[in-house]
Amino acid sequence: MNDVLIDVKNLKKYFPTGTKGQYVKAVDDVTFQIKRGETLGVVGESGCGKSTTGRLVLRLLEKTDGQILYDGTDLSRIKRKEMRSMRSRMQIIFQDPYASLDPRKTVFQTLCEPFQIHYPQMSREEMIEKVARLVDCVGLRPEHITRYPHEFSGGQRQRIGIARAIALNPDFIVCDEPVSALDVSIQAQVINLMQDLKEEFNLTYMFISHDLRIIKHLCDRVMVMYLGNVVEIGSKEAIYEKRRHPYTEALLSAIPNIKDKDAGKRIILEGDIPSPVNPPSGCPFHPRCSKCMEICKKEKPKLKTMEDGTQVACHLELK
Ligand SMILES: Nc1ncnc2c1ncn2[C@@H]1O[C@H](COP(=O)(O)OP(=O)(O)O)[C@@H](O)[C@H]1O
Ligand code: SF4
Ligand SMILES: [Mg+2]
């Protein structure tokens, strides 16, 4: 058993724009690992490549270049049949459960589906038993199984989405903004459920969110992305306390009420996020960085490892 569950090296995803030779560089050379049992938070402004990275890891999207090892296995090199069994080990929870649930299917039908696909021989009795257990696990009531998605609240629908994700007893789940569409009062309940399930089923999460407070609450390590690149990755403590990368510092300065040495000094990022079709030369953050130096405009900084293990892509002398 590998200690590292997800091992991503130099991953790229370029989407064609329709104009010949022009691409959206959604993910541009991303390297990171996720250890078994941990929750890796992924943060960064909208459009920086978080969802694309998550989908690439699950092979819901084909990469342009790079390598993804899942528990030591290169998913792009295995046969279709093996991929099918791998599929059951990795799942995704989407932001909008309403869009990801079939409105014509009852909870029972939705939750039977994974079993029908992966265990076509399973008896109806066993399926009923499995679905009943799932519904119980996510805090829904037995009578809910005959109902349709529109009969539920947003939080309950996300519980159905979570039940579907854990149905096949996976070891890895990409959670793509799973509570962003929910009322703040409901968010905590769903997050607590996800944390309980993580313990109960020994899950590993890649948790994508733009809510830095939720990330702080939930994650062991945090990866900060900017324009398709990883600019900083490290333990939650290192990211939130040291905030070495100027972009990390700017992102975190925008959260009110987080206790820190610079509380109150909000850094306003000037300018729009550049287009991932024509990313800036050198450091992708340089047009918006208050610490930009000459070298930053020319040379793209590589990830450097600090003493505490944090990796930072920046030309500044950081420790
Ligand atoms: N299927 C696609 N075709 C073309 N461009 C895409 C596609 N999916 C995402 N993109 C672009 O890739 C970039 C990264 O998108 P995404 O991964 O969804 O970012 P995030 O989840 O961080 O908001 C954005 O510029 C987005 O418009
Ligand atoms: S490399 Fe230069 S421009 Fe980029 S974040 Fe560091 S200081 Fe700013
Ligand atoms: Mg997204």
Side-chain angles (χ1 to χ4, degrees), residues 259-274:
K259 277 193 210 146
D260 67 82
K261 58 181 179 358
D262 297 324
K265 270 201 253 163
R266 179 167 179 180
I267 302 164
I268 310 281
L269 281 175
E270 306 263 337
D272 293 331
I273 308 174

Side-chain angles (χ1 to χ4, degrees), residues 37-49:
E38 81 174 353
T39 298
L40 176 73
V42 184
V43 302
E45 286 159 291
S46 173
C48 70

Side-chain angles (χ1 to χ4, degrees), residues 46-52 55 95 176-177 208:
S46 173
C48 70
K50 302 181 296 294
S51 297
T52 304
R55 283 169 171 74
Q95 172 173 352
D176 193 353
E177 308 262 9
I208 300 169

Side-chain angles (χ1 to χ4, degrees), residues 49-282:
K50 302 181 296 294
S51 297
T52 304
T53 304
R55 283 169 171 74
L56 289 168
V57 170
L58 298 178
R59 248 193 108 193
L60 296 174
L61 267 178
E62 287 303 324
K63 61 185 164 44
T64 304
D65 199 11
Q67 191 183 47
I68 304 158
L69 298 183
Y70 185 86
D71 205 3
T73 302
D74 184 340
L75 295 183
S76 60
R77 288 172 186 266
I78 61 175
K79 300 209 176 72
R80 263 180 95 140
K81 209 173 149 203
E82 280 173 273
M83 189 60 215
R84 232 173 101 160
S85 86
M86 277 292 198
R87 281 244 173 275
S88 66
R89 295 178 57 187
M90 45 178 112
Q91 299 292 328
I92 185 163
I93 300 170
F94 296 99
Q95 172 173 352
D96 181 357
Y98 204 52
S100 68
L101 294 172
D102 186 336
R104 295 157 305 177
K105 287 188 177 149
T106 62
V107 172
F108 181 73
Q109 288 167 323
T110 294
L111 296 183
C112 274
E113 221 170 42
F115 301 116
Q116 286 161 342
I117 294 170
H118 288 271
Y119 302 99
Q121 317 294 345
M122 190 181 278
S123 69
R124 193 169 165 81
E125 288 69 41
E126 198 177 343
M127 245 178 245
I128 291 170
E129 208 176 287
K130 294 245 184 217
V131 170
R133 171 138 194 273
L134 279 175
V135 163
D136 181 51
C137 269
V138 299
L140 292 172
R141 288 196 304 273
E143 65 268 26
H144 285 147
I145 67 165
T146 53
R147 295 190 193 163
Y148 291 88
H150 75 265
E151 298 177 72
F152 293 97
S153 67
Q156 285 173 322
R157 280 201 286 267
Q158 195 55 296
R159 286 175 194 267
I160 305 168
I162 293 169
R164 182 176 55 185
I166 61 167
L168 297 170
N169 206 1
D171 32 32
F172 176 62
I173 304 183
V174 171
C175 314
D176 193 353
E177 308 262 9
V179 296
S180 305
L182 304 177
D183 288 349
V184 175
S185 58
I186 307 295
Q187 285 185 350
Q189 295 172 14
V190 174
I191 283 173
N192 289 341
L193 170 67
M194 293 181 67
Q195 266 182 316
D196 291 346
L197 294 173
K198 180 172 182 282
E199 296 299 314
E200 192 174 343
F201 297 101
N202 288 319
L203 295 166
T204 303
Y205 285 152
M206 176 170 170
F207 195 96
I208 300 169
S209 176
H210 61 264
D211 189 325
L212 291 149
R213 276 185 276 198
I214 292 177
I215 292 279
K216 191 174 190 203
H217 176 72
L218 260 179
C219 301
D220 303 300
R221 287 196 312 134
V222 179
M223 171 159 104
V224 184
M225 289 187 72
Y226 186 78
L227 215 59
N229 292 269
V230 175
V231 298
E232 182 163 7
I233 178 167
S235 71
K236 172 173 69 186
E237 293 74 21
I239 297 289
Y240 280 76
E241 280 158 32
K242 297 246 166 77
R243 28 181 102 181
R244 292 171 169 109
H245 195 284
Y247 180 61
T248 308
E249 195 183 7
L251 263 190
L252 290 171
S253 78
I255 338 172
N257 304 326
I258 276 201
K259 277 193 210 146
D260 67 82
K261 58 181 179 358
D262 297 324
K265 270 201 253 163
R266 179 167 179 180
I267 302 164
I268 310 281
L269 281 175
E270 306 263 337
D272 293 331
I273 308 174
S275 157
V277 177
N278 282 310
S281 61

